[in-house]
Amino acid sequence: MPAMQGCFTYLPLVLISALLVLSGTGSAANFSDDIAAEAEVKAFSSVDNASLAVYAGQNALQSGQYEEAVEHFTEAVEADPSWMAAWYLKAYSLTRLNRTEEALAAVDQALLLDPKDRDSNNLKADILETLGRGEEAARYR
C-alpha cells in the first residue's frame, strides 16, 4: 500500500502542473483554449473513479475511519469489480468494524479474482476463526 499511496500523493500536483503548462500559464507555450480543454479532459479521465475511491479509502483506513473506508472501497468495487485489492481492502475494513459476514463475502470476491493471494487467504482464515470455523480456517493458512 505505501508505494501506491506515494503515487497518488503527487498525482493531483502533476495533473495541475500539466494543465498549467498545456494552457500556457506554466510556460511560454501558448496553446489554444480548445487544446488545453481537451488535454484537461484526457488528464482527468485517465484517473478513474475506482482509483480515486481506493485512494480515499486508504486515507480513511489509515485514519481509523473504517465506516468511511468501507464506503469508499464499496465505490471502488462498484466502479471496477475486477480489482482484487479493492475487495481485499473492503473486507479488511469490514473486519475492523466486526462485520464478519460482510467481510467474508468481500474476501471471497477477492479470492475469486486471485485464489493464490496470500493476504486474502490469511484474512479469510482470520475471519473464519472469528466465526468459530477453525477447521475451515486452517485450509486458508
Side-chain angles (χ1 to χ4, degrees), residues 22-62:
L22 290 172
S23 67
T25 310
S27 75
N30 191 12
F31 295 104
S32 74
D33 290 340
D34 290 337
I35 293 172
E38 182 179 299
E40 181 177 352
V41 168
K42 285 185 180 182
F44 282 104
S45 67
S46 68
V47 179
D48 60 54
N49 290 339
S51 298
L52 293 172
V54 165
Y55 175 66
Q58 286 178 311
N59 286 335
L61 188 59
Q62 290 173 352

PDB file of all heavy atoms in Angstrom, residues 22-62:
ATOM      1  N   LEU A  22      -0.004  23.094 -20.381  1.00  0.00           N
ATOM      2  CA  LEU A  22      -0.783  22.982 -21.614  1.00  0.00           C
ATOM      3  C   LEU A  22      -1.635  24.216 -21.874  1.00  0.00           C
ATOM      4  O   LEU A  22      -1.879  24.581 -23.019  1.00  0.00           O
ATOM      5  CB  LEU A  22      -1.667  21.737 -21.580  1.00  0.00           C
ATOM      6  CG  LEU A  22      -0.915  20.418 -21.674  1.00  0.00           C
ATOM      7  CD1 LEU A  22      -1.860  19.257 -21.428  1.00  0.00           C
ATOM      8  CD2 LEU A  22      -0.237  20.276 -23.028  1.00  0.00           C
ATOM      9  N   SER A  23      -2.070  24.878 -20.837  1.00  0.00           N
ATOM     10  CA  SER A  23      -2.903  26.061 -21.038  1.00  0.00           C
ATOM     11  C   SER A  23      -2.065  27.311 -21.272  1.00  0.00           C
ATOM     12  O   SER A  23      -2.588  28.367 -21.555  1.00  0.00           O
ATOM     13  CB  SER A  23      -3.826  26.270 -19.840  1.00  0.00           C
ATOM     14  OG  SER A  23      -3.064  26.606 -18.696  1.00  0.00           O
ATOM     15  N   GLY A  24      -0.741  27.188 -21.119  1.00  0.00           N
ATOM     16  CA  GLY A  24       0.129  28.321 -21.364  1.00  0.00           C
ATOM     17  C   GLY A  24       0.419  29.124 -20.117  1.00  0.00           C
ATOM     18  O   GLY A  24       1.184  30.067 -20.148  1.00  0.00           O
ATOM     19  N   THR A  25      -0.170  28.774 -18.984  1.00  0.00           N
ATOM     20  CA  THR A  25       0.042  29.519 -17.758  1.00  0.00           C
ATOM     21  C   THR A  25       1.374  29.181 -17.114  1.00  0.00           C
ATOM     22  O   THR A  25       2.003  30.028 -16.520  1.00  0.00           O
ATOM     23  CB  THR A  25      -1.092  29.207 -16.742  1.00  0.00           C
ATOM     24  OG1 THR A  25      -2.322  29.364 -17.414  1.00  0.00           O
ATOM     25  CG2 THR A  25      -1.027  30.095 -15.544  1.00  0.00           C
ATOM     26  N   GLY A  26       1.802  27.931 -17.255  1.00  0.00           N
ATOM     27  CA  GLY A  26       3.013  27.493 -16.568  1.00  0.00           C
ATOM     28  C   GLY A  26       4.249  27.541 -17.431  1.00  0.00           C
ATOM     29  O   GLY A  26       5.328  27.207 -16.968  1.00  0.00           O
ATOM     30  N   SER A  27       4.144  27.947 -18.675  1.00  0.00           N
ATOM     31  CA  SER A  27       5.318  28.017 -19.540  1.00  0.00           C
ATOM     32  C   SER A  27       5.093  29.063 -20.612  1.00  0.00           C
ATOM     33  O   SER A  27       4.040  29.680 -20.697  1.00  0.00           O
ATOM     34  CB  SER A  27       5.569  26.652 -20.208  1.00  0.00           C
ATOM     35  OG  SER A  27       4.628  26.445 -21.244  1.00  0.00           O
ATOM     36  N   ALA A  28       6.073  29.193 -21.468  1.00  0.00           N
ATOM     37  CA  ALA A  28       5.967  30.159 -22.561  1.00  0.00           C
ATOM     38  C   ALA A  28       5.068  29.641 -23.668  1.00  0.00           C
ATOM     39  O   ALA A  28       4.693  30.386 -24.560  1.00  0.00           O
ATOM     40  CB  ALA A  28       7.358  30.461 -23.116  1.00  0.00           C
ATOM     41  N   ALA A  29       4.711  28.365 -23.633  1.00  0.00           N
ATOM     42  CA  ALA A  29       3.853  27.795 -24.668  1.00  0.00           C
ATOM     43  C   ALA A  29       2.507  28.501 -24.654  1.00  0.00           C
ATOM     44  O   ALA A  29       1.987  28.848 -23.605  1.00  0.00           O
ATOM     45  CB  ALA A  29       3.657  26.296 -24.428  1.00  0.00           C
ATOM     46  N   ASN A  30       1.927  28.682 -25.833  1.00  0.00           N
ATOM     47  CA  ASN A  30       0.650  29.357 -25.924  1.00  0.00           C
ATOM     48  C   ASN A  30      -0.284  28.525 -26.795  1.00  0.00           C
ATOM     49  O   ASN A  30      -0.466  28.787 -27.966  1.00  0.00           O
ATOM     50  CB  ASN A  30       0.831  30.765 -26.487  1.00  0.00           C
ATOM     51  CG  ASN A  30      -0.436  31.589 -26.333  1.00  0.00           C
ATOM     52  OD1 ASN A  30      -1.359  31.194 -25.629  1.00  0.00           O
ATOM     53  ND2 ASN A  30      -0.468  32.728 -26.992  1.00  0.00           N
ATOM     54  N   PHE A  31      -0.878  27.489 -26.197  1.00  0.00           N
ATOM     55  CA  PHE A  31      -1.792  26.617 -26.909  1.00  0.00           C
ATOM     56  C   PHE A  31      -3.173  27.243 -26.929  1.00  0.00           C
ATOM     57  O   PHE A  31      -3.513  28.064 -26.078  1.00  0.00           O
ATOM     58  CB  PHE A  31      -1.855  25.238 -26.233  1.00  0.00           C
ATOM     59  CG  PHE A  31      -0.565  24.489 -26.293  1.00  0.00           C
ATOM     60  CD1 PHE A  31       0.241  24.394 -25.179  1.00  0.00           C
ATOM     61  CD2 PHE A  31      -0.156  23.888 -27.470  1.00  0.00           C
ATOM     62  CE1 PHE A  31       1.433  23.697 -25.240  1.00  0.00           C
ATOM     63  CE2 PHE A  31       1.031  23.189 -27.534  1.00  0.00           C
ATOM     64  CZ  PHE A  31       1.838  23.102 -26.417  1.00  0.00           C
ATOM     65  N   SER A  32      -3.978  26.800 -27.861  1.00  0.00           N
ATOM     66  CA  SER A  32      -5.349  27.313 -27.924  1.00  0.00           C
ATOM     67  C   SER A  32      -6.158  26.787 -26.746  1.00  0.00           C
ATOM     68  O   SER A  32      -5.810  25.779 -26.133  1.00  0.00           O
ATOM     69  CB  SER A  32      -6.007  26.898 -29.239  1.00  0.00           C
ATOM     70  OG  SER A  32      -6.341  25.526 -29.193  1.00  0.00           O
ATOM     71  N   ASP A  33      -7.235  27.472 -26.461  1.00  0.00           N
ATOM     72  CA  ASP A  33      -8.116  27.045 -25.362  1.00  0.00           C
ATOM     73  C   ASP A  33      -8.707  25.672 -25.632  1.00  0.00           C
ATOM     74  O   ASP A  33      -8.909  24.886 -24.704  1.00  0.00           O
ATOM     75  CB  ASP A  33      -9.237  28.059 -25.155  1.00  0.00           C
ATOM     76  CG  ASP A  33      -8.727  29.361 -24.565  1.00  0.00           C
ATOM     77  OD1 ASP A  33      -7.623  29.354 -23.983  1.00  0.00           O
ATOM     78  OD2 ASP A  33      -9.451  30.362 -24.677  1.00  0.00           O
ATOM     79  N   ASP A  34      -8.995  25.351 -26.889  1.00  0.00           N
ATOM     80  CA  ASP A  34      -9.561  24.046 -27.226  1.00  0.00           C
ATOM     81  C   ASP A  34      -8.579  22.924 -26.908  1.00  0.00           C
ATOM     82  O   ASP A  34      -8.956  21.875 -26.379  1.00  0.00           O
ATOM     83  CB  ASP A  34      -9.947  23.978 -28.709  1.00  0.00           C
ATOM     84  CG  ASP A  34     -11.138  24.860 -29.029  1.00  0.00           C
ATOM     85  OD1 ASP A  34     -11.918  25.169 -28.115  1.00  0.00           O
ATOM     86  OD2 ASP A  34     -11.287  25.223 -30.215  1.00  0.00           O
ATOM     87  N   ILE A  35      -7.305  23.118 -27.231  1.00  0.00           N
ATOM     88  CA  ILE A  35      -6.285  22.103 -26.952  1.00  0.00           C
ATOM     89  C   ILE A  35      -6.125  21.923 -25.451  1.00  0.00           C
ATOM     90  O   ILE A  35      -6.041  20.810 -24.945  1.00  0.00           O
ATOM     91  CB  ILE A  35      -4.943  22.459 -27.616  1.00  0.00           C
ATOM     92  CG1 ILE A  35      -5.096  22.385 -29.141  1.00  0.00           C
ATOM     93  CG2 ILE A  35      -3.825  21.541 -27.138  1.00  0.00           C
ATOM     94  CD1 ILE A  35      -3.894  22.890 -29.903  1.00  0.00           C
ATOM     95  N   ALA A  36      -6.112  23.027 -24.718  1.00  0.00           N
ATOM     96  CA  ALA A  36      -5.980  22.953 -23.263  1.00  0.00           C
ATOM     97  C   ALA A  36      -7.171  22.228 -22.652  1.00  0.00           C
ATOM     98  O   ALA A  36      -7.018  21.394 -21.748  1.00  0.00           O
ATOM     99  CB  ALA A  36      -5.835  24.342 -22.664  1.00  0.00           C
ATOM    100  N   ALA A  37      -8.364  22.528 -23.132  1.00  0.00           N
ATOM    101  CA  ALA A  37      -9.569  21.872 -22.612  1.00  0.00           C
ATOM    102  C   ALA A  37      -9.544  20.382 -22.906  1.00  0.00           C
ATOM    103  O   ALA A  37      -9.892  19.564 -22.052  1.00  0.00           O
ATOM    104  CB  ALA A  37     -10.812  22.512 -23.198  1.00  0.00           C
ATOM    105  N   GLU A  38      -9.123  20.025 -24.121  1.00  0.00           N
ATOM    106  CA  GLU A  38      -9.035  18.610 -24.487  1.00  0.00           C
ATOM    107  C   GLU A  38      -8.020  17.880 -23.619  1.00  0.00           C
ATOM    108  O   GLU A  38      -8.266  16.768 -23.156  1.00  0.00           O
ATOM    109  CB  GLU A  38      -8.656  18.472 -25.954  1.00  0.00           C
ATOM    110  CG  GLU A  38      -8.588  17.033 -26.428  1.00  0.00           C
ATOM    111  CD  GLU A  38      -8.220  16.957 -27.903  1.00  0.00           C
ATOM    112  OE1 GLU A  38      -8.983  17.482 -28.739  1.00  0.00           O
ATOM    113  OE2 GLU A  38      -7.173  16.376 -28.195  1.00  0.00           O
ATOM    114  N   ALA A  39      -6.880  18.521 -23.357  1.00  0.00           N
ATOM    115  CA  ALA A  39      -5.855  17.916 -22.507  1.00  0.00           C
ATOM    116  C   ALA A  39      -6.375  17.726 -21.084  1.00  0.00           C
ATOM    117  O   ALA A  39      -6.107  16.714 -20.445  1.00  0.00           O
ATOM    118  CB  ALA A  39      -4.598  18.774 -22.502  1.00  0.00           C
ATOM    119  N   GLU A  40      -7.141  18.698 -20.605  1.00  0.00           N
ATOM    120  CA  GLU A  40      -7.704  18.600 -19.258  1.00  0.00           C
ATOM    121  C   GLU A  40      -8.641  17.410 -19.163  1.00  0.00           C
ATOM    122  O   GLU A  40      -8.581  16.634 -18.209  1.00  0.00           O
ATOM    123  CB  GLU A  40      -8.432  19.887 -18.902  1.00  0.00           C
ATOM    124  CG  GLU A  40      -9.024  19.876 -17.500  1.00  0.00           C
ATOM    125  CD  GLU A  40      -9.689  21.204 -17.154  1.00  0.00           C
ATOM    126  OE1 GLU A  40      -9.566  22.180 -17.918  1.00  0.00           O
ATOM    127  OE2 GLU A  40     -10.332  21.237 -16.105  1.00  0.00           O
ATOM    128  N   VAL A  41      -9.500  17.239 -20.144  1.00  0.00           N
ATOM    129  CA  VAL A  41     -10.432  16.109 -20.153  1.00  0.00           C
ATOM    130  C   VAL A  41      -9.673  14.794 -20.171  1.00  0.00           C
ATOM    131  O   VAL A  41      -9.968  13.875 -19.407  1.00  0.00           O
ATOM    132  CB  VAL A  41     -11.410  16.200 -21.350  1.00  0.00           C
ATOM    133  CG1 VAL A  41     -12.186  14.910 -21.532  1.00  0.00           C
ATOM    134  CG2 VAL A  41     -12.352  17.378 -21.172  1.00  0.00           C
ATOM    135  N   LYS A  42      -8.659  14.684 -21.011  1.00  0.00           N
ATOM    136  CA  LYS A  42      -7.874  13.448 -21.095  1.00  0.00           C
ATOM    137  C   LYS A  42      -7.133  13.185 -19.784  1.00  0.00           C
ATOM    138  O   LYS A  42      -7.064  12.051 -19.325  1.00  0.00           O
ATOM    139  CB  LYS A  42      -6.889  13.501 -22.254  1.00  0.00           C
ATOM    140  CG  LYS A  42      -7.543  13.308 -23.593  1.00  0.00           C
ATOM    141  CD  LYS A  42      -6.517  13.245 -24.699  1.00  0.00           C
ATOM    142  CE  LYS A  42      -7.212  13.047 -26.029  1.00  0.00           C
ATOM    143  NZ  LYS A  42      -6.274  12.937 -27.135  1.00  0.00           N
ATOM    144  N   ALA A  43      -6.555  14.210 -19.195  1.00  0.00           N
ATOM    145  CA  ALA A  43      -5.791  14.024 -17.952  1.00  0.00           C
ATOM    146  C   ALA A  43      -6.693  13.505 -16.840  1.00  0.00           C
ATOM    147  O   ALA A  43      -6.340  12.569 -16.131  1.00  0.00           O
ATOM    148  CB  ALA A  43      -5.136  15.335 -17.538  1.00  0.00           C
ATOM    149  N   PHE A  44      -7.862  14.111 -16.699  1.00  0.00           N
ATOM    150  CA  PHE A  44      -8.736  13.694 -15.612  1.00  0.00           C
ATOM    151  C   PHE A  44      -9.460  12.391 -15.902  1.00  0.00           C
ATOM    152  O   PHE A  44      -9.811  11.668 -14.990  1.00  0.00           O
ATOM    153  CB  PHE A  44      -9.705  14.809 -15.238  1.00  0.00           C
ATOM    154  CG  PHE A  44      -9.054  15.866 -14.410  1.00  0.00           C
ATOM    155  CD1 PHE A  44      -8.701  17.078 -14.977  1.00  0.00           C
ATOM    156  CD2 PHE A  44      -8.739  15.640 -13.092  1.00  0.00           C
ATOM    157  CE1 PHE A  44      -8.068  18.045 -14.218  1.00  0.00           C
ATOM    158  CE2 PHE A  44      -8.107  16.604 -12.327  1.00  0.00           C
ATOM    159  CZ  PHE A  44      -7.766  17.815 -12.892  1.00  0.00           C
ATOM    160  N   SER A  45      -9.666  12.061 -17.174  1.00  0.00           N
ATOM    161  CA  SER A  45     -10.331  10.798 -17.473  1.00  0.00           C
ATOM    162  C   SER A  45      -9.398   9.617 -17.270  1.00  0.00           C
ATOM    163  O   SER A  45      -9.843   8.495 -17.119  1.00  0.00           O
ATOM    164  CB  SER A  45     -10.888  10.794 -18.898  1.00  0.00           C
ATOM    165  OG  SER A  45      -9.835  10.816 -19.835  1.00  0.00           O
ATOM    166  N   SER A  46      -8.082   9.853 -17.242  1.00  0.00           N
ATOM    167  CA  SER A  46      -7.149   8.753 -17.009  1.00  0.00           C
ATOM    168  C   SER A  46      -7.125   8.350 -15.537  1.00  0.00           C
ATOM    169  O   SER A  46      -6.638   7.290 -15.191  1.00  0.00           O
ATOM    170  CB  SER A  46      -5.742   9.120 -17.490  1.00  0.00           C
ATOM    171  OG  SER A  46      -5.206  10.137 -16.667  1.00  0.00           O
ATOM    172  N   VAL A  47      -7.614   9.194 -14.663  1.00  0.00           N
ATOM    173  CA  VAL A  47      -7.741   8.870 -13.246  1.00  0.00           C
ATOM    174  C   VAL A  47      -9.180   8.409 -13.059  1.00  0.00           C
ATOM    175  O   VAL A  47     -10.089   9.212 -13.022  1.00  0.00           O
ATOM    176  CB  VAL A  47      -7.451  10.092 -12.350  1.00  0.00           C
ATOM    177  CG1 VAL A  47      -7.621   9.731 -10.894  1.00  0.00           C
ATOM    178  CG2 VAL A  47      -6.065  10.623 -12.618  1.00  0.00           C
ATOM    179  N   ASP A  48      -9.376   7.085 -12.988  1.00  0.00           N
ATOM    180  CA  ASP A  48     -10.742   6.580 -12.944  1.00  0.00           C
ATOM    181  C   ASP A  48     -11.331   6.631 -11.539  1.00  0.00           C
ATOM    182  O   ASP A  48     -10.637   6.821 -10.553  1.00  0.00           O
ATOM    183  CB  ASP A  48     -10.809   5.167 -13.525  1.00  0.00           C
ATOM    184  CG  ASP A  48      -9.930   4.196 -12.761  1.00  0.00           C
ATOM    185  OD1 ASP A  48     -10.079   4.103 -11.532  1.00  0.00           O
ATOM    186  OD2 ASP A  48      -9.101   3.538 -13.401  1.00  0.00           O
ATOM    187  N   ASN A  49     -12.644   6.456 -11.492  1.00  0.00           N
ATOM    188  CA  ASN A  49     -13.367   6.533 -10.219  1.00  0.00           C
ATOM    189  C   ASN A  49     -12.907   5.480  -9.226  1.00  0.00           C
ATOM    190  O   ASN A  49     -12.846   5.751  -8.030  1.00  0.00           O
ATOM    191  CB  ASN A  49     -14.868   6.399 -10.465  1.00  0.00           C
ATOM    192  CG  ASN A  49     -15.439   7.608 -11.166  1.00  0.00           C
ATOM    193  OD1 ASN A  49     -14.851   8.683 -11.139  1.00  0.00           O
ATOM    194  ND2 ASN A  49     -16.576   7.441 -11.809  1.00  0.00           N
ATOM    195  N   ALA A  50     -12.588   4.287  -9.710  1.00  0.00           N
ATOM    196  CA  ALA A  50     -12.143   3.228  -8.802  1.00  0.00           C
ATOM    197  C   ALA A  50     -10.837   3.626  -8.125  1.00  0.00           C
ATOM    198  O   ALA A  50     -10.676   3.435  -6.916  1.00  0.00           O
ATOM    199  CB  ALA A  50     -11.981   1.912  -9.562  1.00  0.00           C
ATOM    200  N   SER A  51      -9.908   4.187  -8.868  1.00  0.00           N
ATOM    201  CA  SER A  51      -8.623   4.607  -8.300  1.00  0.00           C
ATOM    202  C   SER A  51      -8.814   5.694  -7.253  1.00  0.00           C
ATOM    203  O   SER A  51      -8.197   5.652  -6.181  1.00  0.00           O
ATOM    204  CB  SER A  51      -7.685   5.115  -9.393  1.00  0.00           C
ATOM    205  OG  SER A  51      -7.403   4.101 -10.317  1.00  0.00           O
ATOM    206  N   LEU A  52      -9.650   6.660  -7.575  1.00  0.00           N
ATOM    207  CA  LEU A  52      -9.905   7.734  -6.615  1.00  0.00           C
ATOM    208  C   LEU A  52     -10.569   7.199  -5.348  1.00  0.00           C
ATOM    209  O   LEU A  52     -10.238   7.624  -4.240  1.00  0.00           O
ATOM    210  CB  LEU A  52     -10.771   8.817  -7.259  1.00  0.00           C
ATOM    211  CG  LEU A  52     -10.108   9.601  -8.395  1.00  0.00           C
ATOM    212  CD1 LEU A  52     -11.130  10.513  -9.071  1.00  0.00           C
ATOM    213  CD2 LEU A  52      -8.914  10.393  -7.902  1.00  0.00           C
ATOM    214  N   ALA A  53     -11.493   6.263  -5.512  1.00  0.00           N
ATOM    215  CA  ALA A  53     -12.179   5.692  -4.346  1.00  0.00           C
ATOM    216  C   ALA A  53     -11.216   4.880  -3.483  1.00  0.00           C
ATOM    217  O   ALA A  53     -11.264   4.961  -2.253  1.00  0.00           O
ATOM    218  CB  ALA A  53     -13.351   4.827  -4.803  1.00  0.00           C
ATOM    219  N   VAL A  54     -10.321   4.115  -4.113  1.00  0.00           N
ATOM    220  CA  VAL A  54      -9.340   3.347  -3.340  1.00  0.00           C
ATOM    221  C   VAL A  54      -8.407   4.292  -2.585  1.00  0.00           C
ATOM    222  O   VAL A  54      -8.100   4.070  -1.416  1.00  0.00           O
ATOM    223  CB  VAL A  54      -8.545   2.370  -4.234  1.00  0.00           C
ATOM    224  CG1 VAL A  54      -7.306   1.843  -3.530  1.00  0.00           C
ATOM    225  CG2 VAL A  54      -9.440   1.213  -4.652  1.00  0.00           C
ATOM    226  N   TYR A  55      -7.975   5.353  -3.238  1.00  0.00           N
ATOM    227  CA  TYR A  55      -7.110   6.333  -2.586  1.00  0.00           C
ATOM    228  C   TYR A  55      -7.804   6.936  -1.367  1.00  0.00           C
ATOM    229  O   TYR A  55      -7.230   6.996  -0.275  1.00  0.00           O
ATOM    230  CB  TYR A  55      -6.722   7.424  -3.584  1.00  0.00           C
ATOM    231  CG  TYR A  55      -5.931   8.548  -2.985  1.00  0.00           C
ATOM    232  CD1 TYR A  55      -4.646   8.336  -2.495  1.00  0.00           C
ATOM    233  CD2 TYR A  55      -6.458   9.833  -2.909  1.00  0.00           C
ATOM    234  CE1 TYR A  55      -3.927   9.370  -1.937  1.00  0.00           C
ATOM    235  CE2 TYR A  55      -5.739  10.870  -2.357  1.00  0.00           C
ATOM    236  CZ  TYR A  55      -4.471  10.635  -1.871  1.00  0.00           C
ATOM    237  OH  TYR A  55      -3.753  11.654  -1.318  1.00  0.00           O
ATOM    238  N   ALA A  56      -9.050   7.338  -1.532  1.00  0.00           N
ATOM    239  CA  ALA A  56      -9.808   7.910  -0.416  1.00  0.00           C
ATOM    240  C   ALA A  56     -10.027   6.861   0.677  1.00  0.00           C
ATOM    241  O   ALA A  56      -9.937   7.167   1.874  1.00  0.00           O
ATOM    242  CB  ALA A  56     -11.143   8.453  -0.913  1.00  0.00           C
ATOM    243  N   GLY A  57     -10.287   5.627   0.274  1.00  0.00           N
ATOM    244  CA  GLY A  57     -10.478   4.552   1.238  1.00  0.00           C
ATOM    245  C   GLY A  57      -9.224   4.269   2.044  1.00  0.00           C
ATOM    246  O   GLY A  57      -9.293   4.036   3.256  1.00  0.00           O
ATOM    247  N   GLN A  58      -8.075   4.303   1.376  1.00  0.00           N
ATOM    248  CA  GLN A  58      -6.817   4.083   2.095  1.00  0.00           C
ATOM    249  C   GLN A  58      -6.573   5.185   3.113  1.00  0.00           C
ATOM    250  O   GLN A  58      -6.122   4.910   4.232  1.00  0.00           O
ATOM    251  CB  GLN A  58      -5.649   4.019   1.117  1.00  0.00           C
ATOM    252  CG  GLN A  58      -5.593   2.736   0.336  1.00  0.00           C
ATOM    253  CD  GLN A  58      -4.459   2.747  -0.652  1.00  0.00           C
ATOM    254  OE1 GLN A  58      -4.286   3.695  -1.412  1.00  0.00           O
ATOM    255  NE2 GLN A  58      -3.673   1.696  -0.639  1.00  0.00           N
ATOM    256  N   ASN A  59      -6.873   6.419   2.743  1.00  0.00           N
ATOM    257  CA  ASN A  59      -6.708   7.524   3.689  1.00  0.00           C
ATOM    258  C   ASN A  59      -7.623   7.348   4.894  1.00  0.00           C
ATOM    259  O   ASN A  59      -7.210   7.552   6.039  1.00  0.00           O
ATOM    260  CB  ASN A  59      -6.970   8.865   3.006  1.00  0.00           C
ATOM    261  CG  ASN A  59      -5.837   9.276   2.097  1.00  0.00           C
ATOM    262  OD1 ASN A  59      -4.698   8.861   2.284  1.00  0.00           O
ATOM    263  ND2 ASN A  59      -6.144  10.079   1.102  1.00  0.00           N
ATOM    264  N   ALA A  60      -8.866   6.971   4.650  1.00  0.00           N
ATOM    265  CA  ALA A  60      -9.814   6.750   5.742  1.00  0.00           C
ATOM    266  C   ALA A  60      -9.363   5.584   6.617  1.00  0.00           C
ATOM    267  O   ALA A  60      -9.411   5.660   7.847  1.00  0.00           O
ATOM    268  CB  ALA A  60     -11.215   6.498   5.185  1.00  0.00           C
ATOM    269  N   LEU A  61      -8.901   4.518   5.984  1.00  0.00           N
ATOM    270  CA  LEU A  61      -8.434   3.341   6.718  1.00  0.00           C
ATOM    271  C   LEU A  61      -7.265   3.696   7.624  1.00  0.00           C
ATOM    272  O   LEU A  61      -7.232   3.327   8.797  1.00  0.00           O
ATOM    273  CB  LEU A  61      -8.043   2.246   5.724  1.00  0.00           C
ATOM    274  CG  LEU A  61      -7.700   0.867   6.254  1.00  0.00           C
ATOM    275  CD1 LEU A  61      -8.866   0.275   7.025  1.00  0.00           C
ATOM    276  CD2 LEU A  61      -7.322  -0.042   5.103  1.00  0.00           C
ATOM    277  N   GLN A  62      -6.316   4.438   7.093  1.00  0.00           N
ATOM    278  CA  GLN A  62      -5.147   4.832   7.877  1.00  0.00           C
ATOM    279  C   GLN A  62      -5.508   5.775   9.015  1.00  0.00           C
ATOM    280  O   GLN A  62      -4.798   5.843  10.009  1.00  0.00           O
ATOM    281  CB  GLN A  62      -4.094   5.464   6.977  1.00  0.00           C
ATOM    282  CG  GLN A  62      -3.448   4.457   6.048  1.00  0.00           C
ATOM    283  CD  GLN A  62      -2.527   5.097   5.031  1.00  0.00           C
ATOM    284  OE1 GLN A  62      -2.462   6.312   4.903  1.00  0.00           O
ATOM    285  NE2 GLN A  62      -1.816   4.268   4.292  1.00  0.00           N
TER     286      GLN A  62
END
